[in-house]
Amino acid sequence: MHLAARFDDELEWFRLGYPSASSWIAAKLQIQTSTAREWIRVGQALRHLPSIDAAFAVQMISYAKVRILTRWADDDNEEHLLELAHERAAGRLTVAIAKFLADEGETDAERDLRLHDERSFTTWTDADGSTVLRIVLPPSVAKPVVAAVDELVRRIAMTPLEGGPAEQPAPGDGASESAPDASADASDEQSVVESSPKAASMVEAAPGPGISPDPLSVTLRDMRRRWQPDGRDDWTFPSLGQQRADAFVALYLGSGVSLTTEVVVHVRGDGITFDDGTPTTSSAVLRQLDDSFIRLMIHDAQRRPVDASGRRRHPTTRQQRVVMETHGHECVDCQRTELLELDHNPPFERTRRTVTHELEPRCAPCHRARHRHDLGAA
């Protein structure tokens, strides 16, 4: 990093006939120009961040974390951001930094205006011919979009290939964080749940004689058949990224899809965040209240969410929120934050009870992998 930055300063690349230092580095090392440009940026930033530079030099933090830190660190917050980097994985570091910077004195109005001004939509063609989309939106706008995509993925995966209408899971049965009937969160004060006022009910009935099938049912079954076609031995179930891409296209192009989803906002004394910790402003929440409903969660004297335990198999919506809050809204196996489901550990078949300290959040792929492993061991 330091060599790249110094090479940029010395202008040797200009005397060699290159338009930039990153162009020369990319040509000599046969790497992308954007990669070389990032090396130069990081190297220049490290000159003014001695603590981060020292930690990187002795491999106390990774290059992935350094790339993030050097975008936001300065003389005043360097030590605090470095402490966050030691405590969190690279995938969770940006959310922690966003929450820290949100508490730095910026007013709600200033932050809303900044996030609005930073919105963008860019596209480019990748080398394999694919079109890549990059969309930057304020979190209050983006979170409902992500919730709808993940909810559609979950619904497609639960749709039978043949037979009647899509199966409706019992509350808490592998429900994702964006499940439509999930309850309030385990916040310190209250939660605001955003729901689309125009969305149709997610409960489907089997069409009777002479009645056209529900467009959502048709779309769900058609997409499930494409994911798992009949009569083929060479098919591979699409990856989670591919499933979400299919769901996004189905939502954007219409395709008869109308979903009711939920976005939970945690309202605490130290700020307002979404389930994954992304900060938002009170004014952004207030703009949603006319189309939302509010639920509260009761806490005990030690400020712990009350555990409404029972002998039912499926966790209550209250238990779902308690478990998610306890585990930081991430998969206990891979730290993924999308498509989370609750898993009994030890299995319900052994304990015959559902209590929060025996529930663990797992993303859908890890959840399925764990049960496949258990079946194989049995």
PDB file of all heavy atoms in Angstrom, residues 45-46 139 341-343 346 374:
ATOM      1  N   ALA A  45      -4.054   7.123   2.673  1.00  0.00           N
ATOM      2  CA  ALA A  45      -4.813   7.339   3.903  1.00  0.00           C
ATOM      3  C   ALA A  45      -4.032   6.863   5.123  1.00  0.00           C
ATOM      4  O   ALA A  45      -4.076   7.497   6.189  1.00  0.00           O
ATOM      5  CB  ALA A  45      -6.150   6.610   3.826  1.00  0.00           C
ATOM      6  N   LEU A  46      -3.280   5.758   4.996  1.00  0.00           N
ATOM      7  CA  LEU A  46      -2.543   5.209   6.129  1.00  0.00           C
ATOM      8  C   LEU A  46      -1.443   6.154   6.625  1.00  0.00           C
ATOM      9  O   LEU A  46      -1.024   6.060   7.783  1.00  0.00           O
ATOM     10  CB  LEU A  46      -1.928   3.856   5.756  1.00  0.00           C
ATOM     11  CG  LEU A  46      -2.907   2.691   5.605  1.00  0.00           C
ATOM     12  CD1 LEU A  46      -2.182   1.435   5.132  1.00  0.00           C
ATOM     13  CD2 LEU A  46      -3.648   2.423   6.916  1.00  0.00           C
ATOM     14  N   PRO A 139     -31.609   4.035   3.884  1.00  0.00           N
ATOM     15  CA  PRO A 139     -32.051   2.768   4.481  1.00  0.00           C
ATOM     16  C   PRO A 139     -33.559   2.659   4.641  1.00  0.00           C
ATOM     17  O   PRO A 139     -34.112   1.572   4.518  1.00  0.00           O
ATOM     18  CB  PRO A 139     -31.330   2.739   5.835  1.00  0.00           C
ATOM     19  CG  PRO A 139     -30.915   4.149   6.097  1.00  0.00           C
ATOM     20  CD  PRO A 139     -30.686   4.762   4.768  1.00  0.00           C
ATOM     21  N   GLU A 341     -33.619 -17.978  10.098  1.00  0.00           N
ATOM     22  CA  GLU A 341     -34.654 -18.853  10.633  1.00  0.00           C
ATOM     23  C   GLU A 341     -34.241 -19.306  12.023  1.00  0.00           C
ATOM     24  O   GLU A 341     -33.057 -19.269  12.366  1.00  0.00           O
ATOM     25  CB  GLU A 341     -34.856 -20.067   9.718  1.00  0.00           C
ATOM     26  CG  GLU A 341     -35.202 -19.691   8.289  1.00  0.00           C
ATOM     27  CD  GLU A 341     -35.209 -20.869   7.341  1.00  0.00           C
ATOM     28  OE1 GLU A 341     -34.742 -21.965   7.732  1.00  0.00           O
ATOM     29  OE2 GLU A 341     -35.678 -20.696   6.202  1.00  0.00           O
ATOM     30  N   LEU A 342     -35.200 -19.748  12.817  1.00  0.00           N
ATOM     31  CA  LEU A 342     -34.904 -20.209  14.168  1.00  0.00           C
ATOM     32  C   LEU A 342     -34.815 -21.725  14.198  1.00  0.00           C
ATOM     33  O   LEU A 342     -35.685 -22.415  13.668  1.00  0.00           O
ATOM     34  CB  LEU A 342     -35.961 -19.716  15.158  1.00  0.00           C
ATOM     35  CG  LEU A 342     -36.040 -18.203  15.341  1.00  0.00           C
ATOM     36  CD1 LEU A 342     -36.973 -17.861  16.492  1.00  0.00           C
ATOM     37  CD2 LEU A 342     -34.668 -17.603  15.588  1.00  0.00           C
ATOM     38  N   ASP A 343     -33.768 -22.229  14.835  1.00  0.00           N
ATOM     39  CA  ASP A 343     -33.477 -23.657  14.866  1.00  0.00           C
ATOM     40  C   ASP A 343     -33.400 -24.134  16.308  1.00  0.00           C
ATOM     41  O   ASP A 343     -32.736 -23.501  17.142  1.00  0.00           O
ATOM     42  CB  ASP A 343     -32.135 -23.911  14.152  1.00  0.00           C
ATOM     43  CG  ASP A 343     -31.822 -25.379  13.997  1.00  0.00           C
ATOM     44  OD1 ASP A 343     -32.753 -26.202  14.095  1.00  0.00           O
ATOM     45  OD2 ASP A 343     -30.643 -25.701  13.774  1.00  0.00           O
ATOM     46  N   PRO A 346     -30.920 -28.206  21.680  1.00  0.00           N
ATOM     47  CA  PRO A 346     -31.136 -29.504  21.033  1.00  0.00           C
ATOM     48  C   PRO A 346     -32.480 -29.593  20.326  1.00  0.00           C
ATOM     49  O   PRO A 346     -33.342 -28.745  20.542  1.00  0.00           O
ATOM     50  CB  PRO A 346     -31.063 -30.477  22.210  1.00  0.00           C
ATOM     51  CG  PRO A 346     -31.444 -29.659  23.395  1.00  0.00           C
ATOM     52  CD  PRO A 346     -30.904 -28.297  23.152  1.00  0.00           C
ATOM     53  N   ASP A 374     -27.538 -33.875  10.397  1.00  0.00           N
ATOM     54  CA  ASP A 374     -28.144 -34.665  11.479  1.00  0.00           C
ATOM     55  C   ASP A 374     -28.792 -35.933  10.945  1.00  0.00           C
ATOM     56  O   ASP A 374     -28.695 -36.997  11.537  1.00  0.00           O
ATOM     57  CB  ASP A 374     -29.187 -33.808  12.217  1.00  0.00           C
ATOM     58  CG  ASP A 374     -28.543 -32.687  13.020  1.00  0.00           C
ATOM     59  OD1 ASP A 374     -27.315 -32.744  13.226  1.00  0.00           O
ATOM     60  OD2 ASP A 374     -29.262 -31.761  13.416  1.00  0.00           O
TER      61      ASP A 374
END
